[in-house]
Every structure is written in structure tokens, then in C-alpha cells.
């Protein structure tokens, strides 16, 4: 069983269980949407209360302000001069009236401004809340579809294992496309189901799902792999030792693949967007530190990670930052680089420097020369 086949069957069997990556991702999205819905519902209630209070303040300021003006206008300080003087009370109705007439309009204006801002924020919160509600409803429909597809997938696998597969290749590939399998994966998986004796029987026997009641398929797969590791600790003959080393290498590759997938996922990249060959290339050149630095740099430069598609060597290029900075210093915009990422693959750093120097030496401005012509 080749590494690619093993990885493909791991993916296939994961999709068969309740802990399917697709179902887990849908649950994660739904939980996030539920949190957003609850948060925005609470925010909406508070904003509505704040707006009502601000509108009430607006009315009271205007009403009480007018009444206060009338009272002050009817008071003459000299009528109470003896009392104010003897009691040492600093009371000047004219001064208060002046402040009232000056500050009341501004205060009312500020309240109106706060009200408008709260109302605008309420609109955004309601939009976010409605989007979350729509997402929850859509995920419910999508999960029903995913479960129906999962039932069909399980039916196909059981038919293959029982030797009564009578489903067309197109039916199989069509179903697999619903799970995000690319064309090559669809073709290889369809072959495994239609000719199970090549690998499916051996894999299913190793996993032994029927003998592991109460456990998820992923747990069963992991237990099977752990059991293989335990077996490898027993002294073996030379041939068995070679098999042991092969199994160990396969295990190490699986660990690297998991680390690669987690790293890509951390930056919002779905490894299923890449071909098996591209994944193999990334595994063969796996350098977690360099890849993380490059992904962070692309993120900071606002370069969409889809430039990696068909150019995955960019991800493990130790000179990526220097190449991009060199192109920028030569007058190239980020959009130029995004549209022509092949220039980052075509040259190493020294070759790129030489290409730019050559353009300058020939009287051309690198900024005006299209990157595709480099």
C-alpha cells in the first residue's frame, strides 16, 4: 500500500464516521455562529435600551430647559439681595440663564449625536445577528446533506467490501466531489472502491471497525497505527526489520503531514485545494519554521495565499522575503507579484538580482518591464 493510498484511505474512512472533518468543521462554524447570535442579541437589547434612554433625555432636556429659562427670567436678583448677601449665597439668575442658553443647544446636539451613533451601531449589530441566524439555518441544511452523503458513502464502501459493487465510476466520483476530493483523488478512490482487493480489504482489516464498538473511526485508525508501533518493538528477522523501518518512515510522514495540515489551517488554507503531487512536494521539503515565517510574511504583505497554488515551492523558499523586497525596491507593486508569482519560483535570489541588474545595464527600468518578461 503506497503512502498516497494510505493517506487517501485515512481521509475516506474519516469521512465515514461521526467525527468526520466535514461534520466537525460544520459544528465549529455553527458554534461560532451561535456565539455571534447570542452576543449580538445581547448587544441589540442594550443598544435599544440606550437609544430609548437617550431619546428620553433629549425630550427632557428640551422640556426642562425651557421651563428653567422661564423660571430664571422671572427672578430678579435685587428682590432677594438682603437674603443673598446675609447668607452669603452666590446666586446670579442672569449668569445662569446665559450659561443655559449657551450650553443647552450643544448638550441636546451631543445627545442627538450619541443617539445617531447608537442607531447606526444597532443596524450593524442586527445585520451581524441576522447573518449568524442565516448561517445557522444554512449549516443545518448543509449538515443534513452531508449526513445523507455520508450514508451513501458508507453504503458504497460496504458494497465494495462485500464484493457487490454495482455503482458506476461517475456516481462514485460525483459523490466524492461533494466531500472536496480533487479529480485525482476522485479517480484513485473510485479505483479503490471498484477494485477493493488492491488495498481496501487490507486497510479495512487493519482498522477492524466492526471489532471496535463504541469508538469513532478516527480513534480506531489511530489505535490500529499504535498497535502496529507496539508490534515493531518485538525483535524481528532482517526482512521484518526492513518492514519495521518502512512502517516507521510511514508513521513519521503521517506526523509531518498532520503538522503541515495544521500549519496551513492556522492561516485559513485548506490542504485539499492542492494536488497530491503538491502535498508530496511540501512534505518532502517540510520546514515548519520557514513555512510559518513565509505565511506570516505573505499575510502581513496582504498577498493572498492562493498564489501558492501551482507554486507551492514559494512556501518553503528561504529567500522569499528577500525576493519580494527586491522586486518592491525595483518598483514593482504587490499586485504585479500576486499576478505573476512564477517569477518567485523561476529564480533564486542571486538569479533575480542578476536579472534586474541586467535590465538596468541595458538601459531599461525594471519597474516598466512586465514580470512575465523577466
Amino acid at each position: 500500500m503506497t503512502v498516497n493510498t494510505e493517506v487517501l484511505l485515512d481521509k475516506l474512512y474519516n469521512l465515514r464516521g461521526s467525527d468526520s472533518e466535514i461534520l466537525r468543521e460544520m459544528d465549529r462554524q455553527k458554534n461560532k455562529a451561535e456565539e455571534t447570535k447570542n452576543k449580538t442579541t445581547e448587544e441589540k437589547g442594550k443598544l435599544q435600551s440606550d437609544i430609548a434612554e437617550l431619546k428620553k433625555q433629549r425630550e427632557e432636556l428640551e422640556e426642562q430647559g425651557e421651563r428653567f429659562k422661564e423660571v430664571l427670567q422671572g427672578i430678579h436678583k435685587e428682590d432677594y439681595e438682603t437674603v443673598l448677601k446675609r447668607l452669603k449665597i452666590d446666586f446670579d439668575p442672569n449668569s445662569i440663564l446665559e450659561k443655559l442658553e449657551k450650553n443647552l443647544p450643544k448638550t441636546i446636539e451631543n445627545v442627538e449625536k450619541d443617539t445617531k451613533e447608537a442607531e447606526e451601531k444597532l443596524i450593524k449589530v442586527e445585520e451581524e445577528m441576522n447573518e449568524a441566524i442565516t448561517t445557522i439555518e444554512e449549516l443545518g441544511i448543509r449538515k443534513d446533506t452531508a449526513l445523507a452523503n455520508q450514508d451513501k458513502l458508507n453504503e458504497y464502501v460496504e458494497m465494495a467490501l462485500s464484493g457487490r459493487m454495482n455503482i458506476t465510476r461517475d456516481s462514485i466520483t460525483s459523490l466524492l466531489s461533494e466531500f472536496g476530493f480533487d479529480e485525482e483523488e476522485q479517480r484513485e478512490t473510485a479505483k479503490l472502491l471498484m477494485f477493493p482487493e488492491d488495498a481496501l480489504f487490507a486497510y479495512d482489516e487493519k482498522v477492524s471497525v466492526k471489532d471496535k464498538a463504541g469508538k469513532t473511526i478516527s480513534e480506531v485508525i489511530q489505535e490500529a497505527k499504535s498497535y502496529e508501533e507496539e508490534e515493531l518493538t518485538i525483535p524481528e528477522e532482517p526482512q521484518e526489520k526492513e518492514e519495521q523501518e518502512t512502517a516507521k518512515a510511514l508513521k513519521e510522514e503521517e506526523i509531518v503531514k498532520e503538522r503541515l495540515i495544521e500549519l496551513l489551517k492556522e492561516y485559513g488554507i485548506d490542504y485539499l485545494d492542492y494536488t497530491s503531487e503538491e502535498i508530496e512536494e511540501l512534505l518532502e521539503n517540510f520546514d515548519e519554521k520557514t513555512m510559518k515565517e513565509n505565511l506570516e510574511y505573505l499575510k502581513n504583505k496582504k498577498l493572498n495565499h492562493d498564489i501558492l497554488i501551482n507554486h507551492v515551492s514559494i512556501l518553503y523558499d528561504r529567500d522569499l522575503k528577500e525576493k519580494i523586497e527586491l522586486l518592491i525596491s525595483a518598483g514593482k507593486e504587490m499586485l504585479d507579484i500576486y499576478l505573476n508569482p512564477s517569477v518567485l519560483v523561476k529564480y533564486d535570489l542571486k538569479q533575480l538580482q542578476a536579472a534586474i541588474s541586467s535590465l538596468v545595464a541595458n538601459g531599461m527600468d525594471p519597474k516598466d518591464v512586465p514580470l512575465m518578461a523577466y
Side-chain angles (χ1 to χ4, degrees):
M1 191 181 298
T2 66
V3 176
N4 283 342
T5 300
E6 178 103 10
V7 171
L8 201 56
L9 285 169
D10 283 349
K11 178 179 175 181
L12 180 68
Y13 268 65
N14 169 267
L15 293 171
R16 296 185 63 196
S18 59
D19 62 336
S20 157
E21 289 182 10
I22 290 178
L23 296 178
R24 286 207 312 266
E25 179 60 19
M26 285 185 180
D27 288 340
R28 187 193 67 78
Q29 292 179 16
K30 184 178 180 182
N31 290 338
K32 184 177 179 181
E34 291 282 4
E35 290 175 2
T36 300
K37 175 190 171 185
N38 294 336
K39 181 193 72 172
T40 51
T41 298
E42 184 178 340
E43 288 179 357
K44 177 182 177 180
K46 185 177 184 307
L47 284 168
Q48 288 176 326
S49 176
D50 290 346
I51 290 169
E53 178 61 28
L54 286 166
K55 288 183 176 180
K56 180 182 177 183
Q57 286 183 18
R58 166 68 174 77
E59 293 176 358
E60 290 177 346
L61 280 168
E62 192 168 59
E63 179 184 343
Q64 293 176 18
E66 289 302 319
R67 289 208 313 265
F68 197 18
K69 285 181 185 179
E70 292 177 4
V71 171
L72 290 171
Q73 288 169 349
I75 298 175
H76 302 286
K77 182 178 181 180
E78 56 271 16
D79 293 342
Y80 307 96
E81 186 174 357
T82 301
V83 173
L84 295 173
K85 184 175 181 180
R86 295 297 295 179
L87 297 179
K88 298 181 180 179
I89 297 174
D90 184 15
F91 175 66
D92 185 353
N94 289 332
S95 176
I96 296 174
L97 181 60
E98 183 179 340
K99 289 181 180 179
L100 180 63
E101 290 178 335
K102 178 182 178 181
N103 295 330
L104 182 60
K106 291 182 180 179
T107 302
I108 292 175
E109 183 179 337
N110 287 335
V111 171
E112 290 175 340
K113 181 182 178 182
D114 291 343
T115 303
K116 184 179 179 181
E117 290 177 353
E119 288 174 338
E120 290 174 349
K121 187 174 181 181
L122 177 61
I123 292 173
K124 292 181 179 178
V125 168
E126 287 180 330
E127 289 176 350
E128 188 178 359
M129 182 183 71
N130 291 333
E131 286 177 4
I133 293 172
T134 300
T135 298
I136 293 169
E137 293 173 349
E138 289 177 348
L139 283 170
I141 296 171
R142 285 173 54 197
K143 187 166 184 178
D144 289 342
T145 301
L147 289 170
N149 287 336
Q150 186 182 68
D151 289 341
K152 189 179 292 185
L153 177 64
N154 283 327
E155 179 185 353
Y156 286 4
V157 174
E158 292 304 323
M159 290 173 67
L161 291 170
S162 64
R164 53 185 179 84
M165 173 59 76
N166 59 1
I167 305 298
T168 66
R169 179 180 178 279
D170 286 345
S171 296
I172 297 173
T173 56
S174 176
L175 176 62
L176 293 173
S177 69
E178 296 292 326
F179 290 101
F181 282 60
D182 61 34
E183 290 185 3
E184 182 183 0
E185 290 174 327
Q186 293 171 30
R187 183 175 61 253
E188 292 301 317
T189 306
K191 188 188 301 181
L192 290 171
L193 293 176
M194 298 182 78
F195 304 100
E197 63 275 6
D198 289 345
L200 185 63
F201 286 152
Y203 185 91
D204 190 74
E205 183 178 354
K206 181 187 70 174
V207 173
S208 303
V209 177
K210 295 179 181 178
D211 296 332
K212 304 284 185 176
K215 293 185 173 62
T216 65
I217 289 180
S218 291
E219 289 172 337
V220 172
I221 292 172
Q222 188 56 46
E223 285 185 11
K225 295 181 185 298
S226 299
Y227 179 72
E228 287 179 345
E229 290 176 358
E230 292 174 5
E231 284 188 327
L232 292 175
T233 62
I234 301 172
E236 305 290 351
E237 296 298 324
Q239 181 179 353
E240 293 175 334
K241 183 178 180 180
E242 183 179 344
E243 292 175 354
Q244 174 183 344
E245 291 174 350
T246 300
K248 182 179 179 182
L250 291 175
K251 181 61 179 177
E252 290 174 351
E253 176 125 4
E254 288 170 9
I255 293 173
V256 172
K257 182 177 176 67
E258 289 174 2
R259 287 168 61 194
L260 173 63
I261 292 173
E262 284 300 317
L263 177 61
L264 294 175
K265 187 176 181 180
E266 182 182 342
Y267 287 87
I269 302 174
D270 187 346
Y271 80 100
L272 296 177
D273 289 340
Y274 301 88
T275 65
S276 299
E277 287 78 7
E278 288 175 321
I279 294 298
E280 283 301 312
E281 181 181 344
L282 290 175
L283 291 174
E284 290 173 4
N285 296 277
F286 186 72
D287 180 341
E288 189 168 5
K289 182 175 181 294
T290 298
M291 289 180 173
K292 188 174 181 66
E293 288 175 352
N294 285 346
L295 286 169
E296 194 65 31
Y297 179 73
L298 292 175
K299 178 182 175 182
N300 291 337
K301 286 294 184 179
K302 294 182 172 52
L303 271 173
N304 194 296
H305 51 66
D306 60 14
I307 70 168
L308 299 174
I309 296 177
N310 298 324
H311 305 93
V312 291
S313 62
I314 290 175
L315 189 55
Y316 55 83
D317 186 348
R318 291 186 174 86
D319 295 325
L320 177 65
K321 179 180 178 180
E322 288 75 10
K323 286 182 184 179
I324 292 177
E325 295 297 335
L326 178 60
L327 289 171
I328 292 173
S329 67
K332 289 302 177 184
E333 301 289 338
M334 298 305 295
L335 181 60
D336 295 331
I337 300 171
Y338 172 74
L339 295 174
N340 298 278
S342 58
V343 71
L344 299 172
V345 177
K346 182 178 179 181
Y347 298 108
D348 62 26
L349 182 57
K350 288 184 178 179
Q351 291 171 334
L352 185 59
Q353 289 171 331
I356 293 174
S357 297
S358 177
L359 291 174
V360 174
N362 285 281
M364 291 181 282
D365 187 343
K367 177 182 178 181
D368 298 328
V369 179
L371 281 178
M372 65 180 64
Y374 269 52

